[in-house]
Amino acid sequence: MTTSTLPSLVICEHCDSVYHRAPLTRGQRARCALCGASLYRHSRASPETILALSIASAIVFLIANVYPVVEISLQGMANGATLWQAVLAMASGEAAPIAVPVALCVIIVPGLQIGLLGWISAYATAGRPAPGGIGIMRFLALLRPWSMIEVCVVGILVSIIKLWSLAHVSPGEGMWAVGALMVLLPLIAGRDLRVLWETFDARPSEPSSAP
Amino acid sequence: MGLARCHVCGMSCESDGTDASARRCGRCGAPLHGVRGDRMGASWALLLAALICYVPANVMPVMYTQLLGRGSENTILQGVAEFWRSGSYGIALVIFVASVAVPCTKFMSLGLLLIGAQYKTPWKRRERAVLYRLVEVVGYWSMLDVLVVAVVAALVKFRALGDVEPRVGILFFGAVVILTMLSAMQFDPRLTWCGDDR
């Protein structure tokens, strides 16, 4: 039995309708005529762009992890909270298991996404498929729904407002980094990683890519 | 059914074999499947589990606050009411939407999608397809409340002066968010398009 790939066709993820892939111009998006789901977009990102954005995200991610995201002062006592301290604050007491998904959603998953996308795109920039690349790409698809940086940003803002009337609160250095990450991460770790998948296309050693 | 989309990498694949269970994507090697009607049971089970967790998530306190000697425990709805009373209507609305409206809408939407798929009804297919995509996009925002408790608990650590601790309600609430996300992932949106047209 053989399986052949048909890159000229697009199958809708949500209803299995089949289309011929048509070239798009900048800003255009192909939608399924039956169910209305987005099929694919004109992709601006080249592997080089993804690599550059991954490096930028990595720097910002580091800042977001090291510096406090919020600072507070109450009757002369000052305190700051980093993302890790927020996770640790959940890890004590009766609700302790919730610390695990919190750590995953705001620190571990985004960190893995940045590192792995950097690895894949660095090799893609050099025109080679990355070692372990297919496994990593499949892992990235698994990670995507659990990356919640944007929810984290709103969570921090709500916390600031929640404590506003009780004490003097202000966003810390880390807050700006988390905000920047909220913009950068969706650009590289979005739904459509086609540009990176294409680096694994048409390998002569692939036995299953018959015509 | 030789033609299928790889659910991992999105490649269109065509197989000529008869053994449907052995078909794999020609690019990434992930198994190819037709419509996953067999996952509906898992989707129902996860939805039911989420619904059960939603009761303690609302009844039990999510946070213990102790400020200047006065201590109190708050549930999610008490937190919303507190914002509303203090005049922060916008924030009250944001938290209400994220922690009450979104989970409840998600329960109903997933239930509706599953029932529709079960009966293979042609009723409002396109709208149901939009509903599924909405559940996918909006679903994870419910995690907001958990993150707010985490940040506030990390910040307010002033020993005798003030202290905030998470309580068990937030654990159940987190479980609701995770279970409904898993339930939506188990549901195959192509089920909406199964069955006769009229």
Side-chain angles (χ1 to χ4, degrees):
Chain A
M1 184 177 81
T2 54
T3 303
S4 52
T5 53
L6 303 162
S8 61
L9 296 182
V10 195
I11 303 175
C12 174
E13 194 183 349
H14 288 206
C15 70
D16 263 354
S17 308
V18 183
Y19 300 91
H20 280 285
R21 194 180 281 275
L24 299 180
T25 57
R26 206 190 172 92
Q28 273 189 324
R29 177 202 289 265
R31 284 191 177 280
C32 174
L34 180 63
C35 75
S38 169
L39 291 172
Y40 58 97
R41 283 198 235 183
H42 172 75
S43 58
R44 287 152 291 181
S46 61
E48 289 91 334
T49 320
I50 297 174
L51 177 61
L53 288 170
S54 304
I55 295 169
S57 307
I59 296 167
V60 167
F61 180 74
L62 218 66
I63 299 172
N65 272 279
V66 173
Y67 290 98
V69 288
V70 207
E71 279 157 352
I72 188 169
S73 58
L74 180 71
Q75 300 193 349
M77 289 171 86
N79 200 1
T82 63
L83 288 180
W84 282 105
Q85 282 168 331
V87 171
L88 287 176
M90 290 305 247
S92 60
E94 50 198 0
I98 195 70
V100 176
V102 170
L104 282 172
C105 295
V106 302
I107 303 174
I108 296 166
V109 169
L112 280 173
Q113 283 181 309
I114 294 165
L116 296 176
L117 281 163
W119 174 257
I120 301 267
S121 58
Y123 274 91
T125 304
R128 287 194 289 149
I134 285 180
I136 292 173
M137 289 297 288
R138 288 173 66 170
F139 187 50
L140 278 168
L142 187 77
L143 289 179
R144 196 191 52 84
W146 306 101
S147 178
M148 302 190 185
I149 284 291
E150 53 272 52
V151 185
C152 181
V153 171
V154 178
I156 294 167
L157 293 175
V158 171
S159 312
I160 292 176
I161 296 165
K162 205 177 172 87
L163 297 169
W164 194 261
S165 56
L166 305 170
H168 184 261
V169 265
S170 57
E173 295 93 331
M175 176 71 206
W176 308 112
V178 181
L181 202 58
M182 176 181 90
V183 178
L184 288 171
L185 203 54
L187 289 178
I188 53 171
R191 246 206 136 89
D192 190 2
L193 298 175
R194 190 155 51 93
V195 186
L196 293 179
W197 272 118
E198 276 166 5
T199 53
F200 301 101
D201 280 346
R203 276 191 292 167
S205 59
E206 191 73 79
S208 52
S209 44
Chain B
M1 254 297 287
L3 197 61
R5 178 197 163 96
C6 169
H7 70 285
V8 175
C9 76
M11 178 56 85
S12 312
C13 298
E14 193 172 30
S15 336
D16 53 11
T18 43
D19 184 10
S21 60
R23 295 187 306 153
R24 286 185 172 271
C25 172
R27 174 159 68 181
C28 75
L32 299 170
H33 334 266
V35 180
R36 298 300 305 260
D38 56 330
R39 294 279 185 84
M40 264 202 283
S43 189
W44 270 122
L46 289 162
L47 182 62
L48 202 68
L51 209 59
I52 292 168
C53 286
Y54 194 59
V55 178
N58 275 292
V59 174
M60 298 175 95
V62 294
M63 202 161 83
Y64 167 79
T65 319
Q66 182 263 113
L67 266 175
L68 307 167
R70 283 190 307 139
S72 64
E73 286 188 327
N74 274 29
T75 63
I76 287 175
L77 277 171
Q78 283 168 342
V80 174
E82 201 178 291
F83 271 126
W84 189 266
R85 270 198 305 272
S86 69
S88 313
Y89 301 117
I91 290 297
L93 206 66
V94 167
I95 300 193
F96 182 80
V97 167
S99 53
V100 182
V102 168
C104 287
T105 317
K106 229 165 127 180
F107 291 141
M108 287 189 286
S109 306
L110 281 169
L112 188 78
L113 287 166
L114 281 163
I115 291 168
Q118 212 120 48
Y119 289 98
K120 299 185 183 208
T121 167
W123 176 74
K124 295 209 184 292
R125 283 210 164 109
R126 219 185 140 91
E127 286 80 357
R128 276 154 60 205
V130 173
L131 188 66
Y132 177 77
R133 294 201 289 275
L134 208 71
V135 167
E136 257 197 332
V137 172
V138 173
Y140 71 105
W141 278 96
S142 301
M143 210 62 175
L144 181 67
D145 237 330
V146 179
L147 293 171
V148 170
V149 173
V151 173
V152 171
L155 264 185
V156 186
K157 284 272 169 280
F158 295 110
R159 294 199 183 90
L161 216 52
D163 196 12
V164 169
E165 279 171 21
R167 283 287 182 261
V168 75
I170 204 69
L171 178 63
F172 285 105
F173 191 78
V176 170
V177 182
I178 292 164
L179 289 168
T180 49
M181 280 177 73
L182 289 172
S183 171
M185 286 174 198
Q186 293 296 315
F187 180 79
D188 187 339
R190 295 174 295 178
L191 285 166
T192 299
W193 303 90
C194 290
D196 297 326
D197 276 345
R198 207 143 285 274

